Every structure is written in structure tokens, then in C-alpha cells.
């Protein structure tokens, strides 16, 4: 699925913007050495084994060995160290990008204080880090909100740019669906009484940091499973290499220890073992850059697995508000007359609907629009349920069918037949008809409709290719819902949806073994968000929804659910691709090392030296060098992730097997040969 | 190759592949207690067995209970054979008055038959009484095969069931496997073999005076009944020392053809049984295709190798044909190679030619067949559950590449499953490499090897591979009947058998408990040529990466030393 992940539109601060490679590689290089600490490497058992063998080989350099010059032994030891360092560097680089952003956020929270209400009902100043769940704090205009919480009193504008990158302030008030506030955001007006909802270390910001820091990151279920497999493979190769010496003794020879160590390291899956953590961190970082905060990596992985997406119609599939899509004149009215009337009736209308009418009509005709001062706006009132202007003693009005008919004093049945037909047609297609009149003269009808977002249909088609079904959830009646569903190309509709119906639908899908993803914002969405395998809450929604979901979208853009699915899939594909590549590599390494290893015992095994490597020593060194360098070569892929196109599983499998499986078989033959030529030319062996 | 050779190969595949789908469906019905045409006859017997044993056939077991029942049953079987072999001197049906076996030999033999390996450190006619053959070895030939079948159907149920806590009832599975699965076919094959000239008698060995005037003892015994199950149950333990090269075990070309076909008949049929369990025969076809491909690769290589003249003897004065040393001249090269490839592919330890004399490359084919874990058809039940483990590994490795958590037939493969898979992956390296390394580095055990250098290494490697893979065939030339080798080979057989069975049962239990995602367009395709190819490559890659260094020091070095 070719869903380009949009770059974050506005980086919150200038420090976080410098996430370029140039700014990152230096600290990453330092980190690569810091991470040599075995306590840190413990998280990646394969690399720990490499480090232990590096230490062992370094010691072996001081022991003279048969058939291995000290120069070669030292080079092997060095490259073993490089192997660990390269892997550490990859992880540090992945961490760096997310950390730059997290650090700037963290900096903002340092030294933050809060006014906490004590038991006596008085406010006292405490450090923000001392706040606990349930504490109540008061924040005034110009102050930072000290932690995640829920507004219990007051209404205020909050600038959330530090978290979302969106500079326009948003309104937060107690009750309703706009009551949640996020720590480290700034109040720009009024005051709020906030009940803190998270303990230190559990806030949105903390979660964001924990996702992109290797040492704190929790491994995802699939990562754990893969880790077990890698450990298993390492054990197998340990047995293979450890038993070779007795076998060689039986054949009347002896193998140099350095070579055996080299064989072990080339065989164990160092490529994937070294990059596994970087892949995970980079995936989370991509999510963070999308401004989506996941409670854990587990949810992101589950997103790659979902079978069904439950998507709210409004805001996800359609623009939130209805727009003008056509105007139709009543019999005896010219198009120009209608257009002018409709334009005037809407000029003073500030609603999105009104603006869309003006926009639409301006595209159709050139008008000599009267100056705004000449118009007397008539605002929408609950009494008349009409809006419009008075201009040159004429009253231009637009409104719902029944209201406007009342205004012109006409019965519904007396409406001209062609106009009545159009009105019915609009209603049936899921749109809203608005009548327009000037004084008592009916001019025509405006067709307002839910406009499906451009490109959404194509995205659904891509999802369908990946086998993911989309279900549109809407409160509309089934007829209206079906019309929009057909236009948007969703697979199924849940019309007249209530929170109960939503929850029941999720349960039913899950009982059939499917994984369900959904997004929501209202408090009544909370149960469904909790039930769904992937639940994404909107940041401007309620605290209840944010608690129940396993992801929060800081930009409150439900369409991002599709991007999250994409990231989940990329994460899994990247891991699979590099695992396959890593294992396939071993074939070539055998053909390089085995003839070299047994050269003294069975020279005739030189037939297996398919690459015609120049000498046993250079063969083994080349394999080790290749093994280390391939990690560096693959860092960009690990950080960027393998693209997932919209295609069936069989197609994806065939394509990726060819690239990473077959590629993994062939590439090392070429690479090792080239390195061997280089080493020989440089006379390093 | 002559037209006769092609006819043999054609007849072999026809005899196996034509009845297999039908037999596979029959096994599915039988194991699930559905009514078949045999029910009127065997149904009362089956119910009688349950009544006598006090088993409630409707009550299923969790995988743990299933495993405990299996271990208890196997332990009892081991103790009985061990006891009978040691005490046979005091027991009836021993016309030759053979004494009890030495303890390490009895241990080795008892483990060998309990684990469906049938490694024989003894010669049947020289050290085992008729009673021991019948109530010791033949009984184990039946129940060890039935045990494999029981474990397989437990795994099949684990994959097919959803949110279930049980995997079947061990006692019921054993009864049905033996009663419907093995006995009727064995009866037919035994009668056929008797017709072809295999003895089935309790009389004494026959003493004869040869034309040269020498005394000859001709061993007899109740052979046909044991040989039938020896082949059908993928056991392979010969009634006589030289196994199926003996004219009384394998008297004619017809007996040779039917015996070799019956080795893989049940393993092939069980692949279809699996398809019925998961209600998707496309899965069976992909697995069969993979097995056949590996079989043909191995068979083709061995046939080619055995038709090469020995370059060590190349001399314009000497006209050489395909080497016949160690082969039964009655059957010729093709039938011998077919036997070798089939038995090593299918975990059957019988031989009709001496593997020690094989060209190094064909002996490597035999070794590789075993090293990949006896999954090319493999033992009854054991072959397919081993193959399914490979399927799961392939799915886990490549499954990620479609952007989903790996799933097999809707069941997610997570940490627990991978843990169990890894446990089984370690069985062959530990059994083969560690035990061989011990045997080659200890001075006493290493002295049992009759040849120096690469060929001698092949002998040791073969012995421990054969044990760990529960194959049971021997390379010969290796004096295995020493207390050290008896015990260690016994250990290899135990690791190779239960190192698979226990994780497989645990896997069955944990897959059964899972919900199953609907299989659709976005699920990993586990049928079709792409998957079959992936499976072949996975098996060769996992096996190859583990054993290539050892093979390089054995058959590969030997092959290259001979000047090919």
C-alpha cells in the first residue's frame, strides 16, 4: 500500500527539527561505545555472544596459533569488535531521532511547578514531578499544564504546539468531549482546575520517550518470539562449531581457535540480531513523528495484523461538514438569478456550509458583489431557522425546506413539481436540500452533501488488496449511510450506530477470529476502544477515551489509523526480510570458511572454494569483514523500513522472498569475493 | 538403467501414491471414531478393549495428561522388553536355548524398539528367542508406530481445533491406530510374504549338510508376521541379522517391491489424513509435493552416484560397470538404491544392501535424509509431525514478510510456539553432533571404528544420526555392541524420540487453545508451488547449515579423496 507517511507538518521546537543524520551520527558514535557494556547488550543475546567472542579473540591474539599470523588474528578480533559497534551504532542512531524530540519535550518539563490543592482546599506550590494521580491543580493563563489530566472546572484556550506541533490554540472545558489536557502544554487564556490522571513516569510524554529509548523499550510479542528463534539458531551454531574440533582431531588435524570463533560469529544471525532493536525503535519513531503515541509497541504490531477497520464516517471518510455540491433552479428562474440569490443569502453566513456555497458559486459565475457594508445580515435563529441578508429592501433567505416554505407561505404540496422532485432526490441520496428565496419568490434548491475526502477511496482499495475490510460507522439512517458508503468504497456499513452497537460489532468480529481497529473520541466510545485490538483515541477527546485506547493521536486526525496499519506492517516485514537475509547469508559464508578451515586436513575440500578466495586466512577474514559491513549497509533499510505495497499476501511473499531470500543467497558471494580481492591487494593477509 | 529398473520405480510410486489418498481418509475417519466399513467387525473388539482397560472413550485429555499417559505406556513397554530380553533364557519358545542379553545390549534393544528406531546391535538369529521376537520386539513394532500416529493426530487436532483445551485421548488413539491402522494391513502383507516364501514357524533351526560336506544351520522362526509390521510401521528391525538382504526376509523381486512400497505407504497416507483434519487438502498436496521433491532429489543423486565407476580402479584394462559391492545381486543397483533412499527417508532401519559399501555421495544422501529429521515421508506419524514443525518454521521465518504476525492456518505463532519449535530444532544437532563428538574423542569408543579417516568418521556419524533420527539402519563396519555405544546410542534414540514428541504435544495443546483467524487473501499462503519450494529450501537450509561441516569431513572429503 503506497501510503506516504506525511512528514510532521510543523516541528514543535527548533531543537527537535534538527533530526538530520549530520546532527545524529556523532552522539550515536559515542553511544555505540557506551552500549558495549554487557549489561546493556544483555537485551540482544546474539550481540552479547559476539562481544564475548570478541573478548576471547582479543585474548587469543596473544597466544601463537598454528596457521594464523598474529596480524590476521588481530584483524579478526578488530572486526569482531566492529560488528558489535556497528550494531550498537544502528540502535543509537534509531534512538537518536526520537530522543532529540523527546529531550526537547523533557527540557520543557524540567523545573515545572504546580499549584496543588491541599486537603484544606488551599493551593500550595509543589514540583510538577511530585504530582500524583487524583491531585487537583489550578493553572492560570500563561502557565504550563504540569501533567496529563481532566478539566474539572473552567474553560480556557490551550496551546498544544509542544506536543502536536499545531500552533492554533484549542479550547478545553470541563464536561463534554473536550475535557482532557496534556502535560507540557501552555494555557493561553483564562484558568482551569485540573485533576491529574497519571503518576510521574506514566504521562503521554513519558510514554513517548519510553517508546524510542532502547533500554526502556518493552519488546513486542513478535520481537520476543523472533529473539527466541535467534537464540535457538545461535545455540545450534554453537553446537556445530564446538563439535568441529573433536571431529578434526579424529581426522588427525587441529583447527585454529581463531578460525572457529570466526566461523561461529559469521554463522549466528548477527545481521538481524544487530539490527532488531534498531528496527523496533525506528518503527516507534515513525509513529511518534506521525504524532501518534502508542501505549506499547504491542498495539503497533497488532495494527499490522488487523482484519477490520471500523472508521467513523465524519472526519475520517468525509469532511466533517456538509458542502455545497450543486444548485438547481426552480421553474421560471434563470441560473443567474438563482446563483445571485443563493450567493447573497449565504454571504453573511460564517458557517462552513455557508462558505462552501459562496465558494461554489464564485467558481460558477462572475459577480459584482455588493460591499459588505450595504448588506444587513440576518443570522440564523432558532425561531425562524433561516439565514440570509437584507439588501436593497429585498430579503434574501435560505433554509431547510419546511422553514423556508413557511417563510414564503407555501404548502409543501404546492411546490412546483420539478423542484419537489429534486428535493426528494437530494434527500434520498443522503444529502441535505436547502431552499433559497428572495422575498416570497422561490428561486431553487441548494444541494448540500457530505463530501468524501479525496483519495480515501483509493486508500480503501489498497487496504482491500491487503485483505483488510473497512466498515463505516455512522449515526445516519441506513439509506444515507449506504449512499456515502458506495461513494467512499467501504466494504460494509454500520448505520444508526450507537456505542452499544459498535461494541457488539467488535465482539462479533473478534469471535470470528478477526482483529479489529477503530478510533473514537467520545466518552461513550471508551468501551469499544478498550475492546478493539487497536483503539486510537483523539487527543482532543475525553480522558475516558484516551485511557481506554492503546494509542492516542495528538493531531486528532482519525485517518491516521491507516498510517498506523502501514507502520505495523512495515515493522513486521522489515524484521522478516532481514531475518531471511541473515540466514540465507550463511550459505556463502560456509563456502568461504569451510574449505579454508579444513585446508590443512583435507586439501581436496578446496573444490568447495567456489569464490576462489586467495588464501585460507583471507577467506576467513573476508567473511568476518562482510559480516560486519553488511550491518552498516543495512542500517538505512532498518531505519526506513521495508515498503509494503498494496498486494495480496502471495504477491508480497514472492516479491520479498526473491529480494531478501534469493538476494541473501547471492549478495555475500559477491561481497566476500570483493573484500577478498581488496584485502589481497592491500596485502592485509 | 534398464526397462526393468524403470518398471520397478514406476510400480513403487504407483503402489504408494494411488491408494494413499483413500487410506488417508480412512485413517481420519477411524481416528475420529467415525463409522467405516470395518466398524462392524472391529467395533466390538475396540469397545471390548476399552471395557477391559476401563477407558471412557468419550473423555478427552489435556496435552499434559496425554503426554503422561504416553510416557507411562512407553516406559512400561521398555521395561517389558528389557526384562524379557534379559530373562529369555528362562522363558519358553526358545528352541535354540539362547541366553539372556547383556544389560547394555538389552537396554539398547529395548529403547530401540520402544522408540520406533530398531537399531540392532545384535543379530536376531544369534541372540533373540522366538518369544522375545514376538512379545517383545513385534509388540513394540506395533505400539511404537501407533504412538507416532497418536502424537500426529494430537497435533492435527491442535491445529484444527479452536479454543479447545483437549487434544484427544491417548488410550483411544493407541487402540484405534493399532486395531484399524496397522493390524489389517499387516495381516495382508504377512500373508503375501508367506506366499512369497518367508517362514512363519515355531520349529527349531534346520541343520543341513552342504554339498561340500560342511554343517549348516538354517535359522527359521515366526518371521513373516514381524516383517510385515517392520515395514508398515517404519520400524526396520530385521528378524535376521542381515535384515532384508536375507533371502528369508526378502525372498523375491515381488516381496522386495511390496516391502519397499509398504514402508512409505502409511506416512504418505497420513499427509492426506492431516488435510482432512484441517479441511483443506491443498495443504496435503503442498506437503506431499515437498516430500516428493526432496525424495526425488535424494533418489536421483544416489542413483547417479551408484552408477558411477570407481575412479580408484580406473584402468583401461579393467571394464567397470556400476559397483555391486555390498549390494544384493538378486535386486541389482536400482532396487537397492531405491531401498536405501526409501528407508532413510522414512525412518525405517531395514537394509537390503550394505550402506558401508555405498558410494560416498549416496551414503551422504542417506545421511541427509536422516539429518533433516526424518521428514521426507518419515516414520508413521513421526514423519509428518516433524514435517509440520518445518512448516511452522518456514511460516515463522517467511511469514513476517507479508506484514503480519506469522500464522499457520489461522493460528498465530508467538513466543511459546517458537520456544517449542526451537527445542525441536536442537534435537538433531545435540543428538548427532554432540554424541558423535564424544564418541570420536574418547579413545575407547573411537576404537570401535573399523576404517581410519573420512570413511571411519562417516561410520560414527551414521550411527549417531541413525539413532537420533530414530531410523535404525546401520552403516556397518562399526562395532557398536560395546557398553559405551549401546548406552550412548540408546541415549541418542531417547533424545531423538522424546525430544520431538514432548514439544510436539505441548505445541498441540497450545495451538488447540488459540482462536483461529479466518484464512483469506491476506493470510500467508501455505499451499501452492511457492510454499512447497519455500518448504524444501527451509528444510535443506536448516539441515544443511547444521550438518554441512560434519558432512564435509565425512562423505564429501571421502568422495573427493577417491578422485571423482
Amino acid at each position: 500500500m503506497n501510503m506516504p507517511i506525511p512528514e510532521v507538518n510543523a516541528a514543535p521546537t527548533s531543537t527537535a527539527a534538527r533530526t538530520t543524520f549530520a546532527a545524529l551520527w556523532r552522539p550515536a558514535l559515542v553511544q555505540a561505545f557506551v552500549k558495549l557494556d554487557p549489561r546493556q547488550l544483555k537485551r540482544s543475546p546474539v550481540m552479547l555472544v559476539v562481544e564475548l567472542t570478541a573478548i576471547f579473540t582479543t585474548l587469543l591474539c596473544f597466544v601463537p596459533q598454528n596457521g594464523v599470523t598474529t596480524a590476521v588474528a588481530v584483524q579478526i578480533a578488530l572486526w569482531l569488535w566492529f560488528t558489535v559497534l556497528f550494531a550498537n551504532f544502528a540502535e543509537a542512531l534509531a534512538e537518536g531521532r526520537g530522543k532529540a524530540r523527546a529531550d526537547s519535550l523533557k527540557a520543557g518539563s524540567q523545573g515545572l511547578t504546580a499549584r496543588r490543592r491541599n486537603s484544606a482546599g488551599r493551593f500550595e506550590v509543589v514540583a510538577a514531578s511530585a504530582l500524583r494521580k487524583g491531585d487537583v491543580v489550578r493553572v492560570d493563563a500563561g502557565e504550563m499544564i504540569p501533567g496529563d489530566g481532566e478539566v474539572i472546572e473552567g474553560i480556557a484556550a490551550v496551546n498544544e504546539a509542544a506536543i502536536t506541533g499545531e500552533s492554533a490554540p484549542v479550547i478545553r472545558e470541563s464536561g463534554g468531549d473536550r475535557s482532557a489536557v496534556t502535560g507540557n502544554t501552555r494555557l493561553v487564556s483564562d484558568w482551569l482546575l485540573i485533576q491529574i490522571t497519571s503518576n510521574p513516569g506514566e504521562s503521554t510524554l513519558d510514554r513517548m520517550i519510553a517508546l524510542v529509548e532502547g533500554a526502556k523499550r518493552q519488546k513486542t510479542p513478535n520481537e520476543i518470539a523472533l529473539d527466541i528463534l535467534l537464540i535457538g539458531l545461535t545455540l545450534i551454531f554453537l553446537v556445530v562449531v564446538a563439535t568441529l574440533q573433536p571431529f578434526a582431531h579424529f581426522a588427525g588435524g587441529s583447527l585454529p581457535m581463531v578460525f572457529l570463533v570466526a566461523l561461529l560469529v559469521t554463522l549466528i544471525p548477527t545481521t538481524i540480531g544487530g539490527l532488531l532493536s534498531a528496527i523496533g525503535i525506528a518503527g516507534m519513531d515513525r509513529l511518534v513523528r506521525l504524532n501518534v503515541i502508542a501505549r506499547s509497541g504491542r498495539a503497533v504490531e497488532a495494527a499490522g495484523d488487523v482484519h477490520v477497520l471500523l472508521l467513523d464516517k465524519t472526519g475520517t471518510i468525509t469532511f466533517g461538514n456538509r458542502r455545497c455540491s450543486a444548485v438547481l433552479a426552480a421553474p421560471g428562474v434563470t441560473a443567474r438569478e438563482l446563483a445571485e440569490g443563493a450567493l447573497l443569502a449565504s454571504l453573511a453566513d460564517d458557517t462552513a456550509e455557508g462558505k462552501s456555497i459562496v465558494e461554489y458559486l464564485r467558481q460558477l459565475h462572475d459577480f459584482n458583489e455588493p460591499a459588505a457594508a450595504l448588506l444587513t445580515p440576518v443570522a440564523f435563529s432558532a425561531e425562524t431557522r433561516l439565514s440570509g441578508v437584507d439588501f436593497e429592501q429585498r430579503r434574501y433567505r435560505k433554509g431547510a425546506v419546511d422553514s423556508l416554505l413557511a417563510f414564503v407561505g407555501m404548502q409543501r404540496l404546492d411546490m412546483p413539481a420539478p423542484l419537489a422532485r429534486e428535493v426528494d432526490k437530494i434527500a434520498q441520496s443522503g444529502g441535505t436540500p436547502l431552499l433559497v428565496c428572495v422575498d416570497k419568490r422561490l428561486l431553487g434548491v441548494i444541494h448540500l452533501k457530505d463530501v468524501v475526502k479525496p483519495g480515501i477511496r483509493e486508500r480503501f482499495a489498497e487496504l482491500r488488496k491487503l485483505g483488510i475490510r473497512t466498515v463505516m460507522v455512522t449515526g445516519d439512517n441506513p439509506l444515507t449511510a449506504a449512499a456515502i458508503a458506495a461513494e467512499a468504497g467501504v466494504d460494509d456499513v454500520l448505520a444508526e450506530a450507537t456505542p452499544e452497537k459498535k461494541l457488539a460489532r467488535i465482539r462479533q468480529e473478534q469471535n470470528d477470529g478477526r482483529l479489529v481497529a477503530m478510533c473514537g473520541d467520545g466518552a461513550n466510545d471508551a468501551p469499544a476502544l478498550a475492546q478493539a485490538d487497536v483503539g486510537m483515541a483523539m487527543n482532543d477527546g475525553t480522558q475516558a477515551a484516551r485511557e481506554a485506547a492503546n494509542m492516542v493521536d495528538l493531531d486528532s486526525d482519525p485517518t491516521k489509523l491507516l498510517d498506523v496499519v502501514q507502520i505495523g506492517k512495515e515493522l513486521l516485514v522489515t524484521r522478516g526480510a532481514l531475518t531471511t537475509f541473515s540466514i540465507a547469508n550463511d550459505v556463502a559464508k560456509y563456502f568461504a570458511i569451510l574449505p579454508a578451515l579444513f585446508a590443512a586436513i583435507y586439501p581436496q575440500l578446496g573444490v568447495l572454494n567456489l569464490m576462489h578466495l586467495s588464501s585460507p586466512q583471507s577467506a576467513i577474514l573476508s567473511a568476518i569483514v562482510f559480516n560486519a559491513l553488511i550491518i552498516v549497509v543495512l542500517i538505512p533499510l532498518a531505519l526506513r523500513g521495508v515498503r509494503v505495497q498494496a498486494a495480496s499476501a502471495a504477491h508480497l511473499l514472492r516479491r520479498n522472498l526473491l529480494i531478501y531470500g534469493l538476494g541473501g543467497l547471492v549478495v555475500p558471494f559477491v561481497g566476500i569475493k570483493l573484500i577478498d580481492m581488496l584485502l589481497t591487494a592491500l596485502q592485509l593477509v | 538403467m534398464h526397462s526393468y529398473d524403470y518398471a520397478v520405480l514406476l510400480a513403487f510410486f504407483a503402489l504408494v501414491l494411488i491408494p494413499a489418498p483413500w487410506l488417508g481418509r480412512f485413517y481420519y475417519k477411524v481416528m475420529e471414531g467415525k463409522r467405516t466399513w470395518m466398524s462392524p467387525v472391529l467395533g466390538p473388539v475396540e469397545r471390548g478393549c476399552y471395557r477391559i482397560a476401563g477407558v471412557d472413550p468419550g473423555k478427552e485429555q489435556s496435552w499434559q495428561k496425554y503426554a503422561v499417559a504416553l510416557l507411562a505406556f512407553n516406559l512400561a513397554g521398555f521395561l517389558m522388553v528389557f526384562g524379557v530380553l534379559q530373562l529369555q533364557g528362562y522363558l519358553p519358545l526358545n528352541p535354540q536355548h539362547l541366553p539372556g542379553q547383556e544389560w547394555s545390549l538389552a537396554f539398547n534393544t529395548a529403547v530401540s524398539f520402544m522408540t520406533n528406531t530398531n537399531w540392532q546391535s545384535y543379530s536376531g538369529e544369534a541372540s533373540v528367542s522366538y518369544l522375545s521376537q514376538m512379545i517383545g520386539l513385534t509388540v513394540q513394532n506395533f505400539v511404537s508406530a501407533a504412538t507416532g500416529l497418536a502424537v500426529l493426530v494430537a497435533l492435527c487436532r491442535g491445529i484444527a481445533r479452536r479454543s479447545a483445551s483437549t487434544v484427544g485421548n491417548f488410550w483411544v488413539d493407541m487402540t484405534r491406530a493399532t486395531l484399524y491402522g496397522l493390524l489389517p494391513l499387516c495381516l495382508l502383507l504377512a500373508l503375501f510374504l508367506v506366499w512369497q516364501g518367508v517362514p512363519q514357524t515355531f520349529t527349531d533351526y534346520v541343520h543341513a549338510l552342504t554339498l561340500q560336506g560342511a554343517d549348516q544351520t538354517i535359522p527359521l522362526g515366526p518371521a513373516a508376521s514381524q516383517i510385515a509390521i517392520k515395514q508398515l510401521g517404519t520400524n526396520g528391525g530385521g528378524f535376521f541379522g542381515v535384515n532384508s538382504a536375507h533371502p528369508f526376509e526378502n525372498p523375491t523381486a515381488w516381496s522386495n517391491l511390496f516391502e519397499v512400497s509398504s514402508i512409505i505407504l502409511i506416512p504418505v497416507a497420513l499427509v492426506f489424513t492431516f488435510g482432512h483434519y484441517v479441511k483443506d487438502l491443498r495443504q496435503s498436496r503442498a506437503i506431499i509435493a515437498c516430500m516428493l521433491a526432496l525424495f526425488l532429489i535424494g533418489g536421483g543423486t544416489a542413483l547417479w552416484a551408484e552408477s558411477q565407476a570407481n575412479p580408484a580402479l580406473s584402468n583401461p584394462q579393467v571394464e567397470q560397470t556400476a559397483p555391486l559391492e555390498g549390494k544384493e545381486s538378486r535386486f541389482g543397483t536400482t532396487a537397492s538404491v531405491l531401498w536405501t533412499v526409501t528407508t532413510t527417508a522414512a525412518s525405517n532401519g531395514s537394509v537390503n544392501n550394505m550402506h558401508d559399501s555405498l558410494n560416498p555421495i549416496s551414503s551422504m544422501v542417506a545421511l541427509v535424509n536422516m539429518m533433516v529429521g526424518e521428514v521426507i515421508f518419515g516414520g508413521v506419524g513421526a514423519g509428518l509431525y516433524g514435517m509440520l514443525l518445518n512448516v511452522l518454521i518456514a511460516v515463522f521465518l517467511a511469514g513476517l514478510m507479508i506484514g503480519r504476525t506469522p500464522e499457520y492456518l489461522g493460528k498465530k505463532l508467538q513466543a511459546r510456539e517458537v520456544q517449542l519449535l526451537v527445542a525441536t530444532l536442537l534435537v538433531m544437532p545435540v543428538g548427532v553432533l554432540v554424541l558423535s563428538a564424544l564418541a570420536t574423542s574418547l579413545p575407547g569408543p573411537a576404537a570401535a571404528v573399523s576404517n581410519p579417516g573420512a570413511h571411519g568418521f562417516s561410520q560414527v556419524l551414521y550411527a549417531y544420526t541413525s539413532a537420533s533420527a530414530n531410523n535404525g539402519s546401520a552403516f556397518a563396519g562399526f562395532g557398536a555392541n560395546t557398553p559405551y555405544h549401546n548406552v550412548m546410542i540408546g541415549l541418542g534414540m531417547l533424545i531423538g524420540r522424546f525430544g520431538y514428541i514432548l514439544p510436539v504435544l505441548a505445541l498441540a495443546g497450545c495451538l488447540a487453545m488459540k482462536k483461529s483467524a479466518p484464512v483469506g487473501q491476506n493470510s500467508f499462503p501455505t499451499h501452492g508451488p511457492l510454499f512447497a519450494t519455500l518448504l524444501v529450501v527451509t528444510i535443506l537450509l536448516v539441515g544443511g547449515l547444521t550438518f554441512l561441516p560434519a558432512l564435509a569431513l565425512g562423505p564429501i572429503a571421502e568422495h573427493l579423496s577417491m578422485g571423482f
Side-chain angles (χ1 to χ4, degrees), chain A residues 627-661:
Chain A
N627 197 50
L629 287 183
I630 196 72
I631 294 181
V632 180
V633 173
L634 291 173
I635 287 178
L637 185 72
L639 296 189
R640 204 183 55 227
V642 174
R643 285 267 166 275
V644 180
Q645 317 113 307
S648 70
H651 177 90
L652 285 176
L653 180 66
R654 192 175 316 117
R655 180 177 176 276
N656 288 330
L657 269 181
L658 274 179
I659 298 178
Y660 300 101

Side-chain angles (χ1 to χ4, degrees), chain A residues 222 225 229 232 240 243 247 250 304-305 307 464 466-467 510 512-513 569 572-573 576 580 587 590 602 604 649 653 656, chain B residues 397 400-405 412 418 422 433 437 454 457 515-518 521-524 541 545-546 549 557 560-561:
Chain A
N222 174 260
L229 183 77
V240 169
T243 52
F247 292 167
F250 183 80
D305 281 352
H307 298 90
R464 201 167 305 116
L466 283 165
Q510 286 174 335
D512 293 342
K569 285 198 177 295
L572 293 166
V573 173
T580 311
V587 175
Y590 261 141
Y602 293 116
Q604 61 268 32
L653 180 66
N656 288 330
Chain B
L397 283 179
L400 282 171
M401 286 197 288
I402 64 161
R404 301 178 59 79
T405 304
K412 270 197 175 12
V418 175
V422 164
L433 296 177
F457 181 66
K515 277 200 230 167
S516 159
Q521 193 197 4
N522 63 340
S523 33
F524 188 83
L541 207 60
L545 292 178
T546 313
L560 294 170
S561 319

